[in-house]
Structure formats: structure tokens, C-alpha cells
Amino acid sequence: DVSVLAGDLKAARVYFEDGLRIRRQLAEADPTSADKQRDLSISYNRLGDVNVSEGDLKAARDFFEDGLRISCQLAEADPTSAQKQRDLSTWHERLGNISVSSGDLKAARVYFEDGLRIRLQLAEDDPTSADKQRDLSISYISLGAVSKAEGDLQAARVYFEDGLRISRQLAEADPPSAVKQRDLSIWYSKLGDVSMVEGDLQAARVYFEDGLRISRQLAEADPTSAVKQRDLSVSYDRLGAVSESEGDLQAARVYFEKGLRIRRQLAEADPTSAQKQRDLSGSLTKLAKLSMEEEDWHTALVFMEQSLAIYEKLACMDPLNQTWQNNVQVSRRVVELIQDILR
């Protein structure tokens, strides 16, 4: 786990594979032990997470399916165990996320709906449990995201509003909890995204401003947290997008520049992080696009060349990553377009 946190996935894999060998031997030597079987499933979980981080979704799916198989057996053998049912719902969630990443929304919906059924029952059986309520809200966010991707905005809104209601109750019951406050800001963002797609910019702005208020408070309270700083940059990006859609390019630039400052600092502090580099490139591209709308071609070129340089670096780091390669090609075409205009 320390290696994962440090970003050393190669070392993490070695440790987790060693742990898997040991736990597999223990589970095979004592197949009736629920604890040893659950420990084995945890090893599958950790190796699956490593493969997700490395982008190997097929290998990750294999590990998660192995874990799901064990969890199903344990839950069927002890159907009254809330912990075993919760474990089972988590495996459905993980496989649903893999399916989303693989572009298989139909499979993702099946996994998420299976998980939702379990979590609804657990939350009804123990309504005072914050953990079970939060699990339920996560199922809503997953199904809302699938519905949005499928184009069913009405269903997405219902799921997101159900999740917001839970998250708001949890945050109000525990206002010092940064986790619960962050969850609340995520729900505001999700509903703002739906409003944006629906064309209701006024509603989107209200949701995004509510999210920004929370993100700013969390970032100010914990200025060394890269996660909280990134959340703040995302809030700025969303409000910038609303302003741009409203035609207020000046306001959009202010928001995008605030996000850029944060992302530049995060990328400089962690130059090996693909996510932070990608975030930085995204901010540069947004400002380039804005400058193009304003016909400020020289500024647009500066931003776009910086964005291209980052994508080229990412593509060199992972030559098999088709996303990076595509981003390089698209960015290069935009740079060439601007250069042609300036000639």
C-alpha cells in the first residue's frame, strides 16, 4: 500500500504478488475458513487496483472476477452477514467501473444495479450507519454516470438527486468531516454537469458555485493536499465552462487561469504523475481555445504549444497508450492551424 501511495506500481505489484501466493496457499490449505478466503479476495483486489492504475483493464477484470467469485461464495454461505454482503456490493462496483472504462455501459449497469440492490437492503436494515448510507450514495453516483453516458439525463438527475439528499444529510450530521464535505461537493458537480448538458446554465452555475464554496474551504484548510487542490481546480474549470457557454469570455478566462495556476503547481511538484500532467495540458488547451474565440492567435499559440509539449512527453512515457497518441495528433493539428493563420 505504501508503494502504491508513493506511485511505485512496480514495487507494489511485487509485494502484492508475494502476498497473493501466501494467501492462496493458506486458502487452499483451509478452504472452509471464511477469513482466509476473504484475505485471498483482498489480494485480488489490490492487484486489480494496480492493473487499473497501469491501464491494463483486462488483467484488472480477471483479478476482480476472482474476488467476486470468492465474495459470492462467502455471501451465499452466510446471507445474514452485513459485512459479506457489503463486500459483495464492492466487487460489483469495481467490475462496473472496469466496464465503464472499457466502454461497456450495458455490463456496467448490470453490475451497478446488483450492487445497488444489496446496498439498499443494507441501508434499510441499518439506517443510522453513515458507512452504509455513503455506500448507497456511491451506487447512485455510478448509475447516474451510466445514465448520463447513455443520454438518459432524466434518469441521471434522479440518481444524482437521490445521492445528493443522502450526502447532504451525512454532511450536516458531521460538518467537520472533510470526506463528507467533499462528497457533497461532488454531488453538486454531477448535478451541474447534467444541467449543463440540458442547457440550463443558470442551474448549472448554482450547483457549481455551491461546489466551489466547499472545495475552496477544504483547500484552504489543507493547503498541502494535492487532492483538495485538484478539486478546487476542477471547480474553477466548471465555472469557467459555464461562463464560456454564457458568452462571458472575460469571466471564463479568470476561472481558467485560477485553475491553471493550481495545476501548474501540482504538475511541477509531481512531474512523473500522468494525471497531473494531463490536467495541466487540459487547462492550457481551454485557455488556448478561449484565446482563439477572442482571435488572440499569438496567445492561443503559446498555450497550445505548451499543451502539445506535455502530450508529447506523456506519449513518450507510454507509447502504447492510444489516448496520448491521439491527443498529440489533435494538439499538433491545432498548433499547425494557428501557425497558418499567423503567417
Side-chain angles (χ1 to χ4, degrees):
D1 288 346
V2 172
S3 298
V4 172
L5 292 173
D8 189 348
L9 298 179
K10 186 176 180 181
R13 176 179 292 282
V14 172
Y15 288 124
F16 291 154
E17 286 177 346
D18 287 343
L20 174 61
R21 278 192 294 273
I22 295 170
R23 287 176 169 176
R24 185 179 281 140
Q25 290 171 349
L26 293 173
E28 290 174 354
D30 189 2
T32 61
S33 169
D35 287 340
K36 291 187 177 68
Q37 295 298 320
R38 185 173 188 267
D39 287 346
L40 177 57
S41 74
I42 290 172
S43 286
Y44 287 136
N45 176 28
R46 287 172 173 163
L47 278 162
D49 284 344
V50 168
N51 280 284
V52 169
S53 298
E54 292 175 335
D56 189 345
L57 299 184
K58 184 178 184 302
R61 180 182 292 279
D62 290 341
F63 282 120
F64 290 155
E65 286 178 345
D66 285 339
L68 175 63
R69 187 180 63 254
I70 293 172
S71 191
C72 281
Q73 293 169 348
L74 294 176
E76 288 172 1
D78 188 5
T80 62
S81 168
Q83 181 60 60
K84 292 185 177 68
Q85 293 297 319
R86 186 172 188 245
D87 287 348
L88 181 57
S89 74
T90 300
W91 286 110
H92 287 306
E93 184 79 23
R94 289 182 180 278
L95 280 160
N97 288 332
I98 287 288
S99 298
V100 169
S101 298
S102 302
D104 189 347
L105 297 181
K106 184 177 180 180
R109 177 173 291 281
V110 172
Y111 283 122
F112 291 147
E113 287 178 344
D114 285 343
L116 174 63
R117 279 192 293 273
I118 297 170
R119 290 173 172 179
L120 275 170
Q121 188 62 58
L122 292 174
E124 289 173 4
D125 290 344
D126 189 4
T128 62
S129 167
D131 287 339
K132 294 186 177 68
Q133 293 297 321
R134 184 172 187 266
D135 287 347
L136 179 57
S137 75
I138 291 172
S139 286
Y140 285 138
I141 204 169
S142 297
L143 279 162
V146 169
S147 296
K148 181 171 176 283
E150 292 172 335
D152 189 346
L153 299 181
Q154 185 177 355
R157 179 174 291 280
V158 171
Y159 283 124
F160 290 153
E161 287 177 345
D162 285 343
L164 175 62
R165 187 177 61 253
I166 294 171
S167 190
R168 187 179 279 138
Q169 291 170 347
L170 294 175
E172 290 174 354
D174 189 7
S177 168
V179 171
K180 293 184 177 68
Q181 293 299 320
R182 182 175 187 261
D183 286 348
L184 183 56
S185 74
I186 291 172
W187 286 111
Y188 286 135
S189 296
K190 294 296 182 184
L191 280 161
D193 289 342
V194 170
S195 297
M196 280 282 286
V197 178
E198 292 173 333
D200 189 346
L201 300 181
Q202 185 177 356
R205 178 174 291 280
V206 172
Y207 283 124
F208 291 151
E209 286 178 345
D210 285 341
L212 173 62
R213 186 179 64 252
I214 296 172
S215 295
R216 185 183 285 135
Q217 291 171 346
L218 294 175
E220 290 174 354
D222 190 3
T224 62
S225 167
V227 172
K228 294 185 178 68
Q229 293 299 318
R230 182 179 187 269
D231 287 346
L232 180 56
S233 76
V234 172
S235 290
Y236 285 135
D237 263 12
R238 284 190 160 100
L239 279 162
V242 170
S243 297
E244 185 178 11
S245 296
E246 291 172 334
D248 189 346
L249 302 187
Q250 184 177 355
R253 181 174 293 279
V254 172
Y255 283 122
F256 288 151
E257 287 177 344
K258 287 180 178 179
L260 175 63
R261 279 195 293 273
I262 295 171
R263 290 178 170 181
R264 200 183 292 279
Q265 291 171 348
L266 293 175
E268 290 174 354
D270 190 3
T272 63
S273 167
Q275 182 189 62
K276 293 184 177 70
Q277 297 298 320
R278 181 189 61 198
D279 286 348
L280 175 57
S281 183
S283 286
L284 291 164
T285 299
K286 286 182 175 67
L287 281 161
K289 179 185 173 187
L290 204 64
S291 298
M292 291 170 71
E293 290 182 56
E294 297 171 330
E295 297 188 0
D296 183 354
W297 302 107
H298 289 284
T299 301
L301 182 60
V302 171
F303 284 128
M304 207 62 226
E305 285 179 336
Q306 291 178 21
S307 178
L308 173 59
I310 293 170
Y311 278 133
E312 287 176 335
K313 183 172 70 173
L314 289 172
C316 288
M317 289 169 54
D318 187 1
L320 298 179
N321 189 315
Q322 194 58 48
T323 299
W324 301 146
Q325 303 300 327
N326 291 340
N327 287 338
V328 167
Q329 293 175 16
V330 171
S331 298
R332 190 170 288 149
R333 282 197 295 269
V334 176
V335 167
E336 291 170 352
L337 172 65
I338 297 172
Q339 289 172 335
D340 288 341
I341 292 172
L342 288 171
R343 285 194 181 98

